[in-house]
Amino acid sequence: MRSPRDFLKPLCVGAPDPITEVPFPPSRMIHFFDASNEKMRAKLPDIAAKADIVLGNLEDAVPVDRKVAAREGLVTVGKEIDLGGTQLWTRINALDSPWCIDDLTTLVGEIGDKLDVIMVPKVEGPWDIHYIDRLLAQLEAKAGVKKPILVHAILETAQGVAHVDEIAAASPRMQGMSFGPADLAASRRMKTTRVGGGHPGYLSMSDPTLDADGQIDASVARVTAQQDPWHYSIARMVDACTTNGCLPFYGPFGDIKDVAACEAQFRAAFLLGCVGAWSLHPVQIDIAKKVFSPPVDEVLFAKKVLEAIPDGKGVHMIDGKMQDDATWKQCKVMVDLATMLSEKDPELKAAYGF
Ligand SMILES: CC(=O)SCCNC(=O)CCNC(=O)[C@H](O)C(C)(C)COP(=O)(O)OP(=O)(O)OC[C@H]1O[C@@H](n2cnc3c(N)ncnc32)[C@H](O)[C@@H]1OP(=O)(O)O
Ligand SMILES: O=CC(=O)O
Ligand SMILES: [Mg+2]
């Protein structure tokens, strides 16, 4: 293990100093686009006006014969398109793929100063982050990049989940993690073809009704309720990220037309502590914006609590609810997020009354 004293020294002479705190600008959605697709690239200025983060995807979903075009398309985006204040990320090809090394050398060399975060798929343990960390430092030094490019891991293998805490702690570059239910399902041999969301087969059932002879009365219907197959892993990811000062995100929801289920999946992640989710299609940008902006009534209540208890101490009754030091902190989380989002979004600012 590296000495903590070395943690904030660059891993290559001439590379920028590592950051001490992960920046947290609006991050409600990471909008994926295929940079090899000229039509999608042309839409980017409009998309960037609505989205918090846009991400040029080079990995899964980009066909093998368009890998180079996607990389080059992203270089064009970085050099030629003004995204305003919207962050530019990429998802590189996996570390065990033949494209990864050229993704990194080309992108850092050509648009290293434009890229905020590099998302690394299929991270299995801290060793994957250590590899990327050193290589990025070398490439940053070579290209004269001024601020360190941050790293975001996708949690999408059983190994990755087993090592989630070590991954989150592996480098000061760790910006956060996204939950990847498709690859994770495959890695664990879960029997689902869905990308995120629930499953009608994953449920619990109420007890049976017994007849006079103590036998199960099959004529009486039993209540079932779908359970959340992702709860455990998302909660682990949230704890690992929060413990290490980086940001957890929910990943993709694949049934683009089922906007209600997408909203439910995003909201479950929001309530558990995620700061945002992926949008795969423009329709999911609005869903993420709605879900990951805290509800107006909760923000107004939280403001009321903070105003009523300026020192955040003791026990109080507000609107019939007990408030104390702990609930004050819950309210602070809500108000801090609302304040941060209001700086970007005048409509939210008005609704929250700032
Ligand atoms: C498990 C994982 O790894 S998930 C991450 C990898 N997957 C991705 O990145 C997928 C990204 N999304 C997409 O490729 C597409 O949205 C698809 C394939 C899912 C659906 O595409 P389509 O069938 O073309 O959707 P649809 O017909 O509704 O598109 C409407 C318009 O929005 C555009 N559009 C669709 N998705 C996007 C996007 N992500 N970004 C920008 N524009 C988009 C289309 O080009 C189309 O434009 P047009 O009206 O000018 O023709
Ligand atoms: O990359 C995302 C996933 O779900 O797999
Ligand atoms: Mg994946």
Side-chain angles (χ1 to χ4, degrees):
M1 202 163 95
R2 283 170 76 200
S3 153
R5 290 187 201 290
D6 289 341
F7 216 59
L8 290 174
K9 293 180 187 156
L11 284 172
C12 178
V13 176
D17 285 342
I19 55 165
T20 53
E21 205 158 323
V22 169
F24 185 19
S27 305
R28 294 164 292 183
M29 75 297 294
I30 306 170
H31 181 74
F32 273 57
F33 66 95
D34 174 352
S36 75
N37 182 328
E38 222 170 294
K39 216 164 129 189
M40 277 199 199
R41 285 207 311 265
K43 288 179 192 289
L44 265 188
D46 288 343
I47 298 259
K50 298 199 301 175
D52 295 336
I53 300 162
V54 292
L55 176 147
N57 178 32
L58 309 184
E59 200 225 10
D60 293 355
V62 176
V64 167
D65 62 359
R66 297 218 314 257
K67 292 287 185 193
V68 175
R71 190 189 296 141
E72 285 169 358
L74 184 55
V75 169
T76 306
V77 168
K79 288 190 169 166
E80 293 178 8
I81 300 187
D82 180 3
L83 298 172
T86 300
Q87 297 178 62
L88 179 63
W89 293 22
T90 185
R91 176 169 83 168
I92 56 168
N93 285 287
L95 294 167
D96 64 356
S97 79
W99 305 290
C100 175
I101 186 76
D102 289 340
D103 291 345
L104 286 167
T105 50
T106 303
L107 294 177
V108 179
E110 297 284 334
I111 55 166
D113 274 324
K114 296 284 169 59
L115 269 184
D116 294 290
V117 176
I118 292 181
M119 182 183 276
V120 185
K122 301 172 180 70
V123 171
E124 307 236 88
W127 52 87
D128 286 337
I129 303 299
H130 296 158
Y131 170 81
I132 289 276
D133 200 5
R134 178 78 74 175
L135 183 54
L136 277 179
Q138 293 168 343
L139 294 171
E140 286 167 342
K142 188 170 170 211
V145 172
K146 297 282 176 296
K147 87 177 163 46
I149 301 169
L150 302 186
V151 169
H152 180 106
I154 312 184
L155 192 65
E156 55 179 350
T157 67
Q159 277 250 31
V161 175
H163 295 114
V164 64
D165 298 299
E166 295 156 72
I167 294 169
S171 160
R173 275 188 209 275
M174 278 299 298
Q175 180 273 348
M177 272 186 222
S178 283
F179 184 70
D183 270 301
L184 182 59
S187 161
R188 284 177 171 160
R189 300 196 196 95
M190 291 168 73
K191 308 302 182 292
T192 171
T193 54
R194 297 169 179 220
V195 178
H199 192 290
Y202 194 75
L203 41 79
S204 63
M205 183 179 271
S206 63
D207 285 355
T209 302
L210 302 182
D211 62 19
D213 300 326
Q215 300 302 308
I216 291 176
D217 183 349
S219 69
V220 180
R222 293 164 69 178
V223 179
T224 58
Q226 249 181 251
Q227 307 295 302
D228 178 1
W230 311 115
H231 175 84
Y232 158 79
S233 311
I234 294 180
R236 282 203 63 186
M237 177 183 76
V238 170
D239 282 344
C241 286
T242 313
T243 304
N244 289 287
C246 58
L247 304 173
F249 291 72
Y250 176 75
F253 186 84
D255 193 344
I256 307 289
K257 295 219 158 28
D258 194 350
V259 290
C262 177
E263 183 170 334
Q265 175 68 80
F266 284 7
R267 183 159 292 110
F270 172 69
L271 287 167
L272 273 187
C274 291
V275 301
W278 299 3
S279 63
L280 303 182
H281 186 280
V283 75
Q284 294 183 338
I285 295 177
D286 292 329
I287 302 173
K289 190 172 276 187
K290 175 177 166 194
V291 171
F292 289 96
S293 307
V296 172
D297 58 340
E298 294 228 47
V299 173
L300 296 181
F301 178 71
K303 279 174 66 183
K304 192 172 179 177
V305 172
L306 297 194
E307 279 156 19
I309 318 174
D311 66 352
K313 306 267 184 276
V315 67
H316 309 258
M317 283 294 279
I318 297 177
D319 293 354
K321 299 189 186 80
M322 189 281 304
Q323 303 298 325
D324 67 2
D325 310 48
T327 67
W328 188 92
K329 289 178 201 153
Q330 290 177 275
C331 291
K332 181 97 169 59
V333 167
M334 205 68 94
V335 172
D336 284 352
L337 179 58
T339 307
M340 185 267 278
L341 294 175
S342 291
E343 279 162 27
K344 167 162 179 164
D345 191 329
E347 260 178 54
L348 276 181
K349 187 173 178 177
Y352 294 147
F354 287 124

